[in-house]
PDB file of all heavy atoms in Angstrom:
ATOM      1  N   LEU Q  38     114.236  80.806 147.986  1.00  0.00           N
ATOM      2  CA  LEU Q  38     114.348  80.719 149.438  1.00  0.00           C
ATOM      3  C   LEU Q  38     115.437  79.733 149.828  1.00  0.00           C
ATOM      4  O   LEU Q  38     116.282  80.030 150.689  1.00  0.00           O
ATOM      5  CB  LEU Q  38     113.006  80.299 150.034  1.00  0.00           C
ATOM      6  CG  LEU Q  38     112.935  80.151 151.557  1.00  0.00           C
ATOM      7  CD1 LEU Q  38     113.317  81.443 152.261  1.00  0.00           C
ATOM      8  CD2 LEU Q  38     111.533  79.713 151.973  1.00  0.00           C
ATOM      9  N   ASP Q  39     115.469  78.579 149.200  1.00  0.00           N
ATOM     10  CA  ASP Q  39     116.503  77.581 149.481  1.00  0.00           C
ATOM     11  C   ASP Q  39     117.891  78.118 149.131  1.00  0.00           C
ATOM     12  O   ASP Q  39     118.857  77.916 149.879  1.00  0.00           O
ATOM     13  CB  ASP Q  39     116.233  76.292 148.707  1.00  0.00           C
ATOM     14  CG  ASP Q  39     115.034  75.529 149.236  1.00  0.00           C
ATOM     15  OD1 ASP Q  39     114.620  75.792 150.382  1.00  0.00           O
ATOM     16  OD2 ASP Q  39     114.512  74.674 148.497  1.00  0.00           O
ATOM     17  N   PHE Q  40     117.981  78.806 148.000  1.00  0.00           N
ATOM     18  CA  PHE Q  40     119.262  79.360 147.572  1.00  0.00           C
ATOM     19  C   PHE Q  40     119.785  80.376 148.577  1.00  0.00           C
ATOM     20  O   PHE Q  40     120.955  80.349 148.978  1.00  0.00           O
ATOM     21  CB  PHE Q  40     119.110  80.005 146.194  1.00  0.00           C
ATOM     22  CG  PHE Q  40     120.334  80.735 145.719  1.00  0.00           C
ATOM     23  CD1 PHE Q  40     121.419  80.041 145.212  1.00  0.00           C
ATOM     24  CD2 PHE Q  40     120.405  82.126 145.781  1.00  0.00           C
ATOM     25  CE1 PHE Q  40     122.553  80.714 144.782  1.00  0.00           C
ATOM     26  CE2 PHE Q  40     121.523  82.807 145.348  1.00  0.00           C
ATOM     27  CZ  PHE Q  40     122.611  82.101 144.850  1.00  0.00           C
ATOM     28  N   LEU Q  41     118.918  81.288 149.008  1.00  0.00           N
ATOM     29  CA  LEU Q  41     119.341  82.340 149.932  1.00  0.00           C
ATOM     30  C   LEU Q  41     119.666  81.794 151.311  1.00  0.00           C
ATOM     31  O   LEU Q  41     120.589  82.261 151.975  1.00  0.00           O
ATOM     32  CB  LEU Q  41     118.262  83.414 150.026  1.00  0.00           C
ATOM     33  CG  LEU Q  41     118.025  84.222 148.746  1.00  0.00           C
ATOM     34  CD1 LEU Q  41     116.838  85.161 148.909  1.00  0.00           C
ATOM     35  CD2 LEU Q  41     119.272  85.001 148.362  1.00  0.00           C
ATOM     36  N   ARG Q  42     118.908  80.801 151.756  1.00  0.00           N
ATOM     37  CA  ARG Q  42     119.248  80.155 153.023  1.00  0.00           C
ATOM     38  C   ARG Q  42     120.631  79.539 152.957  1.00  0.00           C
ATOM     39  O   ARG Q  42     121.427  79.648 153.893  1.00  0.00           O
ATOM     40  CB  ARG Q  42     118.229  79.064 153.332  1.00  0.00           C
ATOM     41  CG  ARG Q  42     116.922  79.541 153.936  1.00  0.00           C
ATOM     42  CD  ARG Q  42     115.979  78.378 154.012  1.00  0.00           C
ATOM     43  NE  ARG Q  42     114.750  78.672 154.731  1.00  0.00           N
ATOM     44  CZ  ARG Q  42     113.636  77.988 154.579  1.00  0.00           C
ATOM     45  NH1 ARG Q  42     113.596  76.969 153.728  1.00  0.00           N
ATOM     46  NH2 ARG Q  42     112.557  78.308 155.264  1.00  0.00           N
ATOM     47  N   GLY Q  43     120.937  78.882 151.843  1.00  0.00           N
ATOM     48  CA  GLY Q  43     122.230  78.230 151.694  1.00  0.00           C
ATOM     49  C   GLY Q  43     123.390  79.194 151.713  1.00  0.00           C
ATOM     50  O   GLY Q  43     124.461  78.887 152.243  1.00  0.00           O
ATOM     51  N   ARG Q  44     123.183  80.373 151.162  1.00  0.00           N
ATOM     52  CA  ARG Q  44     124.268  81.349 151.153  1.00  0.00           C
ATOM     53  C   ARG Q  44     124.636  81.790 152.568  1.00  0.00           C
ATOM     54  O   ARG Q  44     125.783  82.145 152.832  1.00  0.00           O
ATOM     55  CB  ARG Q  44     123.854  82.579 150.340  1.00  0.00           C
ATOM     56  CG  ARG Q  44     123.650  82.308 148.885  1.00  0.00           C
ATOM     57  CD  ARG Q  44     124.908  81.909 148.165  1.00  0.00           C
ATOM     58  NE  ARG Q  44     125.835  82.991 148.033  1.00  0.00           N
ATOM     59  CZ  ARG Q  44     126.494  83.290 146.921  1.00  0.00           C
ATOM     60  NH1 ARG Q  44     126.302  82.578 145.822  1.00  0.00           N
ATOM     61  NH2 ARG Q  44     127.352  84.278 146.888  1.00  0.00           N
ATOM     62  N   GLY Q  45     123.700  81.740 153.467  1.00  0.00           N
ATOM     63  CA  GLY Q  45     123.967  82.160 154.834  1.00  0.00           C
ATOM     64  C   GLY Q  45     124.842  81.213 155.607  1.00  0.00           C
ATOM     65  O   GLY Q  45     125.362  81.549 156.671  1.00  0.00           O
ATOM     66  N   ARG Q  46     125.017  80.002 155.085  1.00  0.00           N
ATOM     67  CA  ARG Q  46     125.884  79.046 155.770  1.00  0.00           C
ATOM     68  C   ARG Q  46     127.357  79.402 155.605  1.00  0.00           C
ATOM     69  O   ARG Q  46     128.212  78.892 156.303  1.00  0.00           O
ATOM     70  CB  ARG Q  46     125.627  77.632 155.244  1.00  0.00           C
ATOM     71  CG  ARG Q  46     124.188  77.157 155.494  1.00  0.00           C
ATOM     72  CD  ARG Q  46     124.031  75.687 155.167  1.00  0.00           C
ATOM     73  NE  ARG Q  46     122.635  75.296 155.298  1.00  0.00           N
ATOM     74  CZ  ARG Q  46     121.806  75.111 154.279  1.00  0.00           C
ATOM     75  NH1 ARG Q  46     122.241  75.272 153.052  1.00  0.00           N
ATOM     76  NH2 ARG Q  46     120.549  74.756 154.473  1.00  0.00           N
ATOM     77  N   ASP Q  47     127.630  80.279 154.620  1.00  0.00           N
ATOM     78  CA  ASP Q  47     128.989  80.762 154.397  1.00  0.00           C
ATOM     79  C   ASP Q  47     129.227  81.951 155.322  1.00  0.00           C
ATOM     80  O   ASP Q  47     128.492  82.933 155.269  1.00  0.00           O
ATOM     81  CB  ASP Q  47     129.144  81.175 152.929  1.00  0.00           C
ATOM     82  CG  ASP Q  47     130.581  81.462 152.544  1.00  0.00           C
ATOM     83  OD1 ASP Q  47     131.374  81.842 153.431  1.00  0.00           O
ATOM     84  OD2 ASP Q  47     130.911  81.313 151.363  1.00  0.00           O
ATOM     85  N   THR Q  48     130.248  81.864 156.153  1.00  0.00           N
ATOM     86  CA  THR Q  48     130.515  82.951 157.106  1.00  0.00           C
ATOM     87  C   THR Q  48     131.158  84.166 156.446  1.00  0.00           C
ATOM     88  O   THR Q  48     131.292  85.211 157.069  1.00  0.00           O
ATOM     89  CB  THR Q  48     131.438  82.458 158.238  1.00  0.00           C
ATOM     90  OG1 THR Q  48     132.653  81.935 157.660  1.00  0.00           O
ATOM     91  CG2 THR Q  48     130.745  81.364 159.046  1.00  0.00           C
ATOM     92  N   ASN Q  49     131.532  84.023 155.172  1.00  0.00           N
ATOM     93  CA  ASN Q  49     132.130  85.129 154.449  1.00  0.00           C
ATOM     94  C   ASN Q  49     131.057  86.168 154.117  1.00  0.00           C
ATOM     95  O   ASN Q  49     130.052  85.855 153.490  1.00  0.00           O
ATOM     96  CB  ASN Q  49     132.766  84.602 153.157  1.00  0.00           C
ATOM     97  CG  ASN Q  49     133.434  85.694 152.351  1.00  0.00           C
ATOM     98  OD1 ASN Q  49     133.455  86.861 152.746  1.00  0.00           O
ATOM     99  ND2 ASN Q  49     133.985  85.316 151.213  1.00  0.00           N
ATOM    100  N   GLU Q  50     131.258  87.412 154.519  1.00  0.00           N
ATOM    101  CA  GLU Q  50     130.297  88.481 154.255  1.00  0.00           C
ATOM    102  C   GLU Q  50     130.049  88.656 152.761  1.00  0.00           C
ATOM    103  O   GLU Q  50     128.959  89.038 152.334  1.00  0.00           O
ATOM    104  CB  GLU Q  50     130.806  89.800 154.853  1.00  0.00           C
ATOM    105  CG  GLU Q  50     129.910  91.004 154.629  1.00  0.00           C
ATOM    106  CD  GLU Q  50     128.568  90.910 155.333  1.00  0.00           C
ATOM    107  OE1 GLU Q  50     128.460  90.113 156.292  1.00  0.00           O
ATOM    108  OE2 GLU Q  50     127.640  91.616 154.934  1.00  0.00           O
ATOM    109  N   LEU Q  51     131.058  88.339 151.942  1.00  0.00           N
ATOM    110  CA  LEU Q  51     130.929  88.519 150.506  1.00  0.00           C
ATOM    111  C   LEU Q  51     130.103  87.412 149.858  1.00  0.00           C
ATOM    112  O   LEU Q  51     129.963  87.366 148.635  1.00  0.00           O
ATOM    113  CB  LEU Q  51     132.314  88.586 149.849  1.00  0.00           C
ATOM    114  CG  LEU Q  51     133.219  89.735 150.310  1.00  0.00           C
ATOM    115  CD1 LEU Q  51     134.498  89.758 149.506  1.00  0.00           C
ATOM    116  CD2 LEU Q  51     132.505  91.074 150.205  1.00  0.00           C
ATOM    117  N   ALA Q  52     129.527  86.533 150.637  1.00  0.00           N
ATOM    118  CA  ALA Q  52     128.630  85.516 150.098  1.00  0.00           C
ATOM    119  C   ALA Q  52     127.274  86.096 149.755  1.00  0.00           C
ATOM    120  O   ALA Q  52     126.463  85.448 149.095  1.00  0.00           O
ATOM    121  CB  ALA Q  52     128.464  84.365 151.092  1.00  0.00           C
ATOM    122  N   LEU Q  53     127.013  87.331 150.184  1.00  0.00           N
ATOM    123  CA  LEU Q  53     125.727  87.975 149.955  1.00  0.00           C
ATOM    124  C   LEU Q  53     125.922  89.418 149.487  1.00  0.00           C
ATOM    125  O   LEU Q  53     126.857  90.093 149.917  1.00  0.00           O
ATOM    126  CB  LEU Q  53     124.901  88.003 151.242  1.00  0.00           C
ATOM    127  CG  LEU Q  53     124.308  86.685 151.740  1.00  0.00           C
ATOM    128  CD1 LEU Q  53     123.899  86.829 153.197  1.00  0.00           C
ATOM    129  CD2 LEU Q  53     123.112  86.284 150.881  1.00  0.00           C
ATOM    130  N   PRO Q  54     125.014  89.916 148.622  1.00  0.00           N
ATOM    131  CA  PRO Q  54     125.019  91.352 148.316  1.00  0.00           C
ATOM    132  C   PRO Q  54     124.632  92.132 149.568  1.00  0.00           C
ATOM    133  O   PRO Q  54     124.006  91.579 150.480  1.00  0.00           O
ATOM    134  CB  PRO Q  54     123.938  91.492 147.236  1.00  0.00           C
ATOM    135  CG  PRO Q  54     123.693  90.108 146.723  1.00  0.00           C
ATOM    136  CD  PRO Q  54     123.980  89.187 147.870  1.00  0.00           C
ATOM    137  N   PRO Q  55     124.966  93.405 149.625  1.00  0.00           N
ATOM    138  CA  PRO Q  55     124.634  94.185 150.829  1.00  0.00           C
ATOM    139  C   PRO Q  55     123.127  94.350 151.032  1.00  0.00           C
ATOM    140  O   PRO Q  55     122.658  94.393 152.170  1.00  0.00           O
ATOM    141  CB  PRO Q  55     125.310  95.539 150.585  1.00  0.00           C
ATOM    142  CG  PRO Q  55     125.508  95.604 149.107  1.00  0.00           C
ATOM    143  CD  PRO Q  55     125.721  94.205 148.650  1.00  0.00           C
ATOM    144  N   LYS Q  56     122.357  94.442 149.949  1.00  0.00           N
ATOM    145  CA  LYS Q  56     120.905  94.592 150.020  1.00  0.00           C
ATOM    146  C   LYS Q  56     120.253  93.805 148.877  1.00  0.00           C
ATOM    147  O   LYS Q  56     120.817  93.703 147.785  1.00  0.00           O
ATOM    148  CB  LYS Q  56     120.489  96.062 149.935  1.00  0.00           C
ATOM    149  CG  LYS Q  56     121.067  96.937 151.054  1.00  0.00           C
ATOM    150  CD  LYS Q  56     120.468  96.615 152.403  1.00  0.00           C
ATOM    151  CE  LYS Q  56     121.191  97.295 153.548  1.00  0.00           C
ATOM    152  NZ  LYS Q  56     121.101  98.750 153.521  1.00  0.00           N
ATOM    153  N   LEU Q  57     119.046  93.274 149.160  1.00  0.00           N
ATOM    154  CA  LEU Q  57     118.290  92.515 148.170  1.00  0.00           C
ATOM    155  C   LEU Q  57     116.867  93.067 148.115  1.00  0.00           C
ATOM    156  O   LEU Q  57     116.214  93.197 149.154  1.00  0.00           O
ATOM    157  CB  LEU Q  57     118.224  91.025 148.523  1.00  0.00           C
ATOM    158  CG  LEU Q  57     119.526  90.247 148.676  1.00  0.00           C
ATOM    159  CD1 LEU Q  57     120.074  90.373 150.100  1.00  0.00           C
ATOM    160  CD2 LEU Q  57     119.298  88.774 148.366  1.00  0.00           C
ATOM    161  N   TYR Q  58     116.415  93.362 146.922  1.00  0.00           N
ATOM    162  CA  TYR Q  58     115.094  93.970 146.738  1.00  0.00           C
ATOM    163  C   TYR Q  58     114.231  93.085 145.841  1.00  0.00           C
ATOM    164  O   TYR Q  58     114.556  92.876 144.679  1.00  0.00           O
ATOM    165  CB  TYR Q  58     115.280  95.362 146.127  1.00  0.00           C
ATOM    166  CG  TYR Q  58     114.013  96.080 145.718  1.00  0.00           C
ATOM    167  CD1 TYR Q  58     112.805  95.888 146.379  1.00  0.00           C
ATOM    168  CD2 TYR Q  58     114.037  96.981 144.649  1.00  0.00           C
ATOM    169  CE1 TYR Q  58     111.659  96.563 145.997  1.00  0.00           C
ATOM    170  CE2 TYR Q  58     112.894  97.669 144.267  1.00  0.00           C
ATOM    171  CZ  TYR Q  58     111.709  97.451 144.945  1.00  0.00           C
ATOM    172  OH  TYR Q  58     110.580  98.112 144.572  1.00  0.00           O
ATOM    173  N   PHE Q  59     113.137  92.577 146.395  1.00  0.00           N
ATOM    174  CA  PHE Q  59     112.184  91.792 145.617  1.00  0.00           C
ATOM    175  C   PHE Q  59     111.220  92.751 144.924  1.00  0.00           C
ATOM    176  O   PHE Q  59     110.293  93.266 145.539  1.00  0.00           O
ATOM    177  CB  PHE Q  59     111.425  90.816 146.512  1.00  0.00           C
ATOM    178  CG  PHE Q  59     112.244  89.650 146.961  1.00  0.00           C
ATOM    179  CD1 PHE Q  59     112.966  89.705 148.145  1.00  0.00           C
ATOM    180  CD2 PHE Q  59     112.307  88.495 146.206  1.00  0.00           C
ATOM    181  CE1 PHE Q  59     113.735  88.633 148.566  1.00  0.00           C
ATOM    182  CE2 PHE Q  59     113.068  87.414 146.612  1.00  0.00           C
ATOM    183  CZ  PHE Q  59     113.782  87.474 147.792  1.00  0.00           C
ATOM    184  N   HIS Q  60     111.458  92.968 143.652  1.00  0.00           N
ATOM    185  CA  HIS Q  60     110.656  93.894 142.849  1.00  0.00           C
ATOM    186  C   HIS Q  60     109.256  93.334 142.609  1.00  0.00           C
ATOM    187  O   HIS Q  60     109.092  92.165 142.255  1.00  0.00           O
ATOM    188  CB  HIS Q  60     111.387  94.117 141.523  1.00  0.00           C
ATOM    189  CG  HIS Q  60     110.530  94.442 140.358  1.00  0.00           C
ATOM    190  ND1 HIS Q  60     109.811  95.602 140.270  1.00  0.00           N
ATOM    191  CD2 HIS Q  60     110.283  93.768 139.204  1.00  0.00           C
ATOM    192  CE1 HIS Q  60     109.165  95.628 139.123  1.00  0.00           C
ATOM    193  NE2 HIS Q  60     109.426  94.520 138.463  1.00  0.00           N
ATOM    194  N   ALA Q  61     108.233  94.169 142.835  1.00  0.00           N
ATOM    195  CA  ALA Q  61     106.833  93.788 142.621  1.00  0.00           C
ATOM    196  C   ALA Q  61     106.584  92.386 143.180  1.00  0.00           C
ATOM    197  O   ALA Q  61     106.159  91.483 142.472  1.00  0.00           O
ATOM    198  CB  ALA Q  61     106.468  93.866 141.139  1.00  0.00           C
ATOM    199  N   TYR Q  62     106.841  92.239 144.464  1.00  0.00           N
ATOM    200  CA  TYR Q  62     106.815  90.921 145.106  1.00  0.00           C
ATOM    201  C   TYR Q  62     105.456  90.238 144.916  1.00  0.00           C
ATOM    202  O   TYR Q  62     104.402  90.801 145.243  1.00  0.00           O
ATOM    203  CB  TYR Q  62     107.123  91.049 146.599  1.00  0.00           C
ATOM    204  CG  TYR Q  62     107.068  89.716 147.313  1.00  0.00           C
ATOM    205  CD1 TYR Q  62     108.113  88.811 147.172  1.00  0.00           C
ATOM    206  CD2 TYR Q  62     105.960  89.353 148.074  1.00  0.00           C
ATOM    207  CE1 TYR Q  62     108.066  87.576 147.804  1.00  0.00           C
ATOM    208  CE2 TYR Q  62     105.912  88.120 148.705  1.00  0.00           C
ATOM    209  CZ  TYR Q  62     106.968  87.235 148.558  1.00  0.00           C
ATOM    210  OH  TYR Q  62     106.905  85.998 149.171  1.00  0.00           O
ATOM    211  N   GLY Q  63     105.511  89.003 144.417  1.00  0.00           N
ATOM    212  CA  GLY Q  63     104.287  88.257 144.157  1.00  0.00           C
ATOM    213  C   GLY Q  63     104.219  86.917 144.848  1.00  0.00           C
ATOM    214  O   GLY Q  63     103.352  86.092 144.531  1.00  0.00           O
ATOM    215  N   GLY Q  64     105.122  86.696 145.791  1.00  0.00           N
ATOM    216  CA  GLY Q  64     105.120  85.425 146.512  1.00  0.00           C
ATOM    217  C   GLY Q  64     104.073  85.392 147.608  1.00  0.00           C
ATOM    218  O   GLY Q  64     103.211  86.272 147.721  1.00  0.00           O
TER     219      GLY Q  64
END
C-alpha cells in the first residue's frame, strides 16, 4: 500500500502499469 501510494506522487503516467490485479486477494 505504501509503495503504490508513493508511485502516485509521480505525475508521469509510466510510473504505473495500466492495470493491477491482486490475485486471490487475502488482505
Side-chain angles (χ1 to χ4, degrees):
L38 180 58
D39 289 342
F40 174 78
L41 294 174
R42 279 173 173 158
R44 294 295 290 225
R46 298 189 185 103
D47 190 333
T48 57
N49 181 1
E50 179 66 20
L51 299 185
L53 288 163
K56 300 291 170 65
L57 301 86
Y58 173 31
F59 286 91
H60 151 66
Y62 178 76

